[in-house]
Amino acid sequence: MNCDEALKLYAQNIYDIGEQADQIRKNFFGIKVFFNSNAHLNPTNQCVDICKFCGFSAHQKNPNPYTMSKEEALSRIEEYVNKGALEVHIVGAHNPQCNLEWYCDLFKSIKKLYPTLHIKALTAAEVNYLAQESQKSYQEVLEQMIESGVDSMPGGGAEIFDADIRRKICKGKVDSPTWLAIHRYWHKLGKKSNCTMLFGHIENRIHRIEHLLQLRDLQDEYHGFNAFIPLVYQRENNFLKVKTFPTGQEILKTIALSRIILKNIPHIKAYWATLGINLAMVAQEFGADDLDGTLQKESIQSASGSNSSKGITKNALIFQIKNAGFIPVERDTLYNEIQTY
């Protein structure tokens, strides 16, 4: 499928595009909906960059800067593990205080205390920043992450690959070719990651389609992406002056189109932290097969208005999935099935 074909598909009736996506999803997974028992750790919000869409980093719209000590971070991890977390998702800001040595020391300490806890850590944007800050190549940073215990990478920092849009919303952040190169090398090392797209701000459908096509092309090389996560822009506490926001139908169409284009990426995640749990459940009828997980404490999306700061319980996720007529399946980070409810 090329860009013109995808645009025509986008223009179809929502039920027609939804039906196509739903059939692909059923061919893959039947009526299973996946979730995991995870927790988020965001060690710092003090950032040298100012992305206009971000409400998390410390600035005049979020005048509450913080940087955790290693001891505080480990204390949070202990709390999360005691509550059942099987994965810790570690992302933060571009903060010179939290340099490569700081992160690698944290990863090693986590693995020493909790050898079976899956560490999913550092976006490609953070890897790029840490490489520059430490005067190392991104290849060296990735190899050092693996040596320190990182098991997989999240997909953040992709935003929209279009260079003009990036200059307007996140100038100074990792550029698109480097984001793709970082994930390519991570996959070449035999590791898995996720990929994302931030939409619903100043981009248009063509930008989204071109973004998806680039992800599809990279996936053909090493098949290293576990899941694609379309992230809906959160509108509060940031500097983007967006006046119109995508409707529920536009969001569902985008998720459906993602499933149709990205047939080589196994999972499409309807991330409830940006969609809300109700729309995330509807999205399971439009190509998505995953909700993410319990989160426990979420800081980045909630800083911009999402109702996700306290996470969600496993029982609540199971209830929502069953109530929608699907089969709840708890998974690990790499989508090995743990338990079916």
Side-chain angles (χ1 to χ4, degrees):
M1 179 178 292
N2 59 33
C3 189
D4 289 339
E5 291 169 335
L7 272 175
K8 290 178 182 177
L9 187 60
Y10 233 137
Q12 286 188 11
N13 179 286
I14 186 173
Y15 298 109
D16 292 336
I17 188 174
E19 185 175 0
Q20 291 182 56
D22 188 48
Q23 189 57 57
I24 296 169
R25 176 244 202 280
K26 287 177 178 175
N27 290 342
F28 276 131
F29 308 112
I31 58 170
K32 294 178 179 179
V33 170
F34 298 94
F35 71 93
N36 68 339
S37 296
N38 64 343
H40 282 214
L41 179 74
N42 308 118
T44 181
N45 71 345
Q46 293 179 266
C47 193
V48 298
D49 291 327
I50 300 178
C51 296
K52 289 186 177 180
F53 60 82
C54 181
F56 169 69
S57 65
H59 50 66
Q60 61 186 354
K61 289 183 178 289
N62 181 17
N64 299 295
Y66 75 87
T67 297
M68 295 181 186
S69 65
K70 174 186 163 184
E71 291 71 27
E72 184 180 358
L74 290 174
S75 177
R76 295 278 183 94
I77 296 291
E78 180 182 18
E79 176 187 346
Y80 299 153
V81 170
N82 289 339
K83 290 181 179 179
L86 303 178
E87 170 205 301
V88 60
H89 177 128
I90 303 174
V91 299
H94 302 168
N95 182 349
Q97 296 178 64
C98 299
N99 57 20
L100 180 61
E101 181 181 0
W102 188 93
Y103 273 112
C104 288
D105 183 46
L106 175 63
F107 300 148
K108 289 175 183 177
S109 297
I110 293 170
K111 278 297 183 184
K112 184 177 180 179
L113 291 168
Y114 311 104
T116 62
L117 183 66
H118 186 104
I119 299 176
K120 182 167 73 178
L122 301 184
T123 67
E126 290 170 285
V127 170
N128 180 70
Y129 169 74
L130 292 172
Q132 293 174 342
E133 194 273 340
S134 63
Q135 297 185 329
K136 293 185 176 184
S137 68
Y138 68 76
Q139 292 92 336
E140 291 174 298
V141 172
L142 294 173
E143 291 164 5
Q144 194 167 335
M145 286 164 55
I146 292 173
E147 291 170 2
S148 301
V150 176
D151 298 295
S152 67
M153 280 179 61
E159 321 315 353
I160 283 285
F161 288 150
D162 181 84
D164 289 336
I165 298 294
R166 290 185 83 81
R167 275 193 290 270
K168 293 174 184 176
I169 69 172
C170 55
K171 185 178 180 181
K173 199 172 192 175
V174 63
D175 60 31
S176 300
T178 306
W179 188 99
L180 292 163
I182 287 169
H183 281 268
R184 178 180 291 109
Y185 191 71
W186 185 252
H187 298 166
K188 187 177 180 179
L189 294 173
K191 293 294 186 177
K192 297 289 188 178
S193 65
N194 290 334
C195 51
T196 62
M197 175 179 71
L198 182 70
F199 74 101
H201 43 90
I202 64 171
E203 90 297 344
N204 60 39
R205 287 178 171 182
I206 292 177
H207 298 134
R208 299 175 202 164
I209 291 166
E210 290 175 343
H211 187 104
L212 294 172
L213 293 177
Q214 290 184 69
L215 291 175
R216 184 186 67 181
D217 291 346
L218 177 54
Q219 180 71 348
D220 278 340
E221 295 184 35
Y222 293 101
H223 297 277
F225 290 128
N226 278 322
F228 170 68
I229 310 162
L231 301 170
V232 180
Y233 163 69
Q234 305 297 296
R235 64 189 70 178
E236 295 181 12
N237 301 326
N238 62 68
F239 295 98
L240 270 187
K241 297 179 181 179
V242 178
K243 296 181 180 179
T244 59
F245 301 96
T247 64
Q249 288 199 16
E250 183 72 7
I251 291 169
L252 292 173
K253 274 191 171 188
T254 301
I255 292 170
L257 188 75
S258 302
R259 176 67 289 171
I260 294 167
I261 291 177
L262 300 176
K263 291 188 178 75
N264 58 355
I265 296 180
H267 299 276
I268 304 294
K269 184 183 294 187
Y271 185 36
W272 70 263
T274 66
L275 292 169
I277 189 63
N278 292 332
L279 189 58
M281 287 310 312
V282 176
Q284 307 304 306
E285 304 273 7
F286 287 81
D289 61 271
D290 188 275
L291 293 169
D292 199 82
T294 51
L295 305 186
Q296 295 199 27
K297 178 176 174 59
E298 196 283 324
S299 299
I300 294 177
Q301 303 299 333
S302 58
S304 294
S306 169
N307 188 25
S308 57
S309 62
K310 296 181 180 179
I312 191 171
T313 67
K314 182 192 293 189
N315 287 338
L317 282 172
I318 292 169
F319 171 80
Q320 291 282 352
I321 295 167
K322 283 186 173 181
N323 195 47
F326 292 96
I327 298 173
V329 179
E330 184 176 3
R331 59 167 176 84
D332 66 12
T333 308
L334 302 179
Y335 284 87
N336 299 301
E337 297 184 15
I338 296 173
Q339 185 172 352
T340 300
Y341 294 88

